[in-house]
Amino acid sequence: MSLQETFIENLKYYRRAAGFSQKDLSVLLNKGYNYINSIEGASSFPPPAVIDEIANILKIEVEVLFMRDACPKNLASSFKRKWGETFKTTLVSRVRSEIERTCEELL
């Protein structure tokens, strides 16, 4: 997941958690009504000053908007990327071993 994708998912999560629509947040930023839509749609990216304003409005620290584990969707994606194959391999190995052990006991 790219930094922009991480930012977008965190923005969506914290905007919704604060109870703001895209239009509400755009208005609070004194931007056009579809400004946040263009950011969340990945057609634009806000400059640092606007990112600071967004964080202030959402009552979060700026760095939270860029953290890979700051919202459930990003956390799941990060976990899957980091542990997915390891977890899958371990689980399959354990299941296979248990099936083999059970078959040996029954035969």
Side-chain angles (χ1 to χ4, degrees):
M1 181 175 280
S2 73
L3 187 61
Q4 183 177 9
E5 291 168 329
T6 298
F7 176 86
I8 290 168
E9 289 307 319
N10 288 334
L11 174 58
K12 288 178 185 179
Y13 177 78
Y14 287 99
R15 175 182 57 76
R16 290 173 181 150
F20 296 125
S21 68
Q22 290 178 341
K23 183 179 178 180
D24 294 336
L25 187 52
S26 295
V27 169
L28 289 168
L29 292 167
N30 294 317
K31 303 290 183 185
Y33 74 93
N34 65 350
Y35 182 72
I36 296 300
N37 183 325
S38 69
I39 294 170
E40 290 182 2
S43 59
S44 69
F45 195 79
V50 174
I51 293 171
D52 284 338
E53 286 183 68
I54 290 170
N56 287 333
I57 291 168
L58 298 179
K59 296 180 177 38
I60 58 173
E61 297 295 323
V62 172
E63 47 274 6
V64 170
L65 291 168
F66 295 96
M67 293 171 57
R68 294 191 190 275
D69 60 354
C71 78
K73 185 172 182 179
N74 286 346
L75 183 58
S77 177
S78 178
F79 178 84
K80 185 176 179 181
R81 185 178 57 256
K82 184 174 182 179
W83 299 108
E85 280 305 310
T86 302
F87 180 74
K88 179 182 171 184
T89 302
T90 302
L91 183 60
V92 168
S93 176
R94 287 184 181 179
V95 169
R96 182 177 289 129
S97 294
E98 189 62 27
I99 290 170
E100 288 173 357
R101 186 186 63 74
T102 303
C103 287
E104 287 173 7
E105 288 177 2
L106 294 173
L107 299 175

